[in-house]
Amino acid sequence: MLDLVAEHAPYRGELLAAFERVLDSGRFVLGPEVEAFERDIAAWIGVPHAIGVSNGSDALLLALQAVGVGPGDEVICPTYTFFATAGAVARLGGKPVFVDSAECCYNLRADQVAAKIGPRTKAIIAVHLFGQCADMDPILTAAKKHGIPVIEDAAQALGAKDKGRQAGTMGTLATFSFFPTKNLGTLGEGGLVTTADPDLAEKVRKLRVHGAKQKYFHELIGGNFRLHEIQAAFLRVKLNHLNSALKKRQQNASTLIESLREKWNAVMSLGACVCQGQGEANNGKPGTVFLPFSCHSGLGEHTWNQFVVRVLGPGQRDALRERLNATGIQTEVYYPRAMHEQECFGVVKEAFPVATRLSQETLAFPGLNRTELLQKLEESLV
Ligand SMILES: Cc1ncc(COP(=O)(O)O)c(C=O)c1O
């Protein structure tokens, strides 16, 4: 799906120099590289506090723990997301309360969040899926009205914006992943928590090291959620190139959308944002392919961590996947089962019709060079 060797080739010299710097320093965990990276990324995002952590899953756990989520607490989140979003709630003994997805951007239905807020709601997680921000205003308004913190799960959306506001600056806290497939990836694992609140930042920093500010004096029950120096050093190298890498991704996505629209007859765009209402997509003709839709935020605000199309109708996505596979185009399904249908969360009786259909109909294209991908697509789809 993604050629990570090719991706790193232009920075090879810089990455090797970073490796040597850390090797020669003798400092390998939470040292000057992590501190420098935290400063740099906080400035890049435009947020007062950034805390480097072990990975994006632990970042979610830390953010939820920082706002006091514990056994019996409810946390509202989308059902159509990566497991870690809901998993982090359950790891703390909380209960994920699911919301259906919008048919335009596949993010959580912002208008359904307010209706789910109840006496046990402790937090809301808004996931910015595939590199595009969720529609934050209705979510922030509902949360403010009830005094509930919002956590942005921005694992896939570093650099994405919602009406000019950067992912990671809108919620009470936000979390990021630096898994190698992300727009800014380590050569291993890494994550980040951001916040404007100095007290929450301090709490996350403590929780990252077993709840102790002073070594061996534990004020909170935390864990080992530390970021490694070597990963921070690599991230600093790649952060210097992030603006141009994101621009290239956006250009590639526009080219791909235009070309597919022109050359592949079946492809059409949904054409309208339905983040706050019902769309028509579920009634479309089987086999119709929807291009990814850059929703309320405009092309420049989507960071295209994944390029995801939707193929309407039972079995149609899998049939297309097989056809593409036969011509050497690898694709991936994010995600074949929504969270409300996962065995580990028990039986959830409520239906989430859009999320269920998305899990049967979406297909992510590989992160190939777009010219190469287009060529292969044309060959495979005539
Ligand atoms: C939406 C979302 N949340 C959380 C995570 C977890 O991040 P990590 O893999 O770094 O633990 C991911 C990773 O893919 C993700 O996509």
Side-chain angles (χ1 to χ4, degrees):
M1 283 288 282
L2 192 61
D3 186 350
L4 290 170
V5 174
E7 185 184 311
H8 290 112
Y11 327 128
R12 186 181 171 81
E14 287 178 78
L15 291 168
L16 290 173
F19 174 75
E20 281 190 7
R21 195 170 67 232
V22 174
L23 182 66
D24 293 342
S25 77
R27 288 281 304 268
F28 302 132
V29 180
L30 289 190
E33 296 287 343
V34 171
E35 278 168 27
F37 172 66
E38 288 178 343
R39 267 197 315 274
D40 294 350
I41 189 99
W44 193 90
I45 293 171
V47 70
H49 307 281
I51 303 114
V53 299
S54 36
N55 55 59
S57 306
D58 290 341
L60 277 164
L61 188 88
L62 287 162
L64 289 166
Q65 219 182 334
V67 297
V69 171
D73 290 332
E74 293 183 355
V75 176
I76 298 170
C77 64
T79 177
Y80 183 64
T81 179
F82 180 63
F83 173 79
T85 312
V89 178
R91 281 168 76 186
L92 292 169
K95 181 179 173 230
V97 171
F98 298 117
V99 175
D100 208 358
S101 311
E103 287 168 273
C104 39
C105 56
Y106 313 151
N107 278 313
L108 77 172
R109 272 279 296 270
D111 60 323
Q112 289 185 356
V113 169
K116 296 267 169 160
I117 295 175
R120 308 191 82 145
T121 308
K122 194 78 179 189
I124 298 165
I125 306 179
V127 181
H128 303 319
L129 208 58
F130 302 144
Q132 178 164 208
C133 282
D135 187 14
M136 289 302 286
D137 283 331
I139 299 169
L140 293 170
T141 305
K144 194 170 173 194
K145 190 171 157 203
H146 296 272
I148 295 167
V150 175
I151 294 164
E152 296 170 69
D153 180 348
Q156 303 179 10
L158 181 64
K161 295 191 184 92
D162 176 20
K163 300 175 199 81
R165 297 163 300 183
Q166 185 101 343
T169 63
M170 295 176 274
T172 315
L173 295 133
T175 64
F176 295 85
S177 163
F178 302 126
F179 189 71
T181 56
K182 300 296 191 282
N183 286 349
L184 179 67
T186 50
L187 310 192
E189 305 266 6
L192 191 79
V193 179
T194 59
T195 182
D197 183 325
D199 296 332
L200 287 174
E202 173 81 359
K203 199 169 172 188
V204 172
R205 283 186 192 284
K206 271 187 213 160
L207 288 167
R208 174 173 70 171
V209 285
H210 294 292
K213 187 170 184 187
Q214 190 189 346
K215 214 172 169 186
Y216 306 125
F217 292 84
H218 304 273
E219 298 158 52
L220 303 163
I221 307 220
N224 173 0
F225 300 117
R226 299 179 290 238
L227 180 63
H228 298 173
E229 283 286 278
I230 190 75
Q231 302 303 349
F234 291 147
L235 285 166
R236 288 178 72 197
V237 169
K238 291 180 72 178
L239 184 59
N240 283 334
H241 301 279
L242 185 60
N243 285 329
S244 57
L246 288 179
K247 199 166 245 166
K248 202 165 148 206
R249 254 175 198 280
Q250 288 167 338
Q251 282 162 353
N252 280 340
S254 311
T255 313
L256 193 51
I257 284 176
E258 282 318 307
S259 310
L260 288 175
R261 196 179 269 165
E262 236 174 64
K263 293 176 184 154
W264 191 11
N265 272 346
V267 173
M268 53 178 283
S269 162
L270 185 60
C273 168
V274 287
C275 270
Q276 296 182 51
Q278 200 66 46
E280 296 295 315
N282 279 337
N283 307 321
K285 206 169 120 237
T288 306
V289 180
F290 286 116
L291 287 165
F293 183 60
S294 189
C295 210
H296 51 96
S297 49
L299 272 181
E301 301 199 321
H302 193 322
T303 54
W304 303 99
N305 189 234
Q306 299 296 342
F307 189 96
V308 177
V309 300
R310 179 179 176 191
V311 194
L312 298 189
Q316 300 283 343
R317 183 264 316 271
D318 297 335
L320 175 62
R321 191 173 190 206
E322 268 173 38
R323 260 159 66 205
L324 293 176
N325 198 30
T327 49
I329 302 175
Q330 247 187 303
T331 54
E332 189 52 87
V333 172
Y334 303 119
Y335 301 93
R337 182 171 286 180
M339 292 307 117
H340 70 280
E341 293 166 330
Q342 298 288 349
E343 193 181 335
C344 65
F345 296 127
V347 180
V348 180
K349 288 212 182 86
E350 196 178 343
F352 299 91
V354 176
T356 297
R357 284 202 53 175
L358 292 179
S359 67
Q360 295 158 356
E361 297 181 342
T362 54
L363 191 64
F365 282 4
L368 287 178
N369 164 311
R370 298 300 185 209
T371 323
E372 196 187 328
L373 176 60
L374 266 177
Q375 228 168 26
K376 284 192 173 188
L377 280 173
E378 277 174 35
E379 282 163 23
S380 72
L381 295 167
V382 277

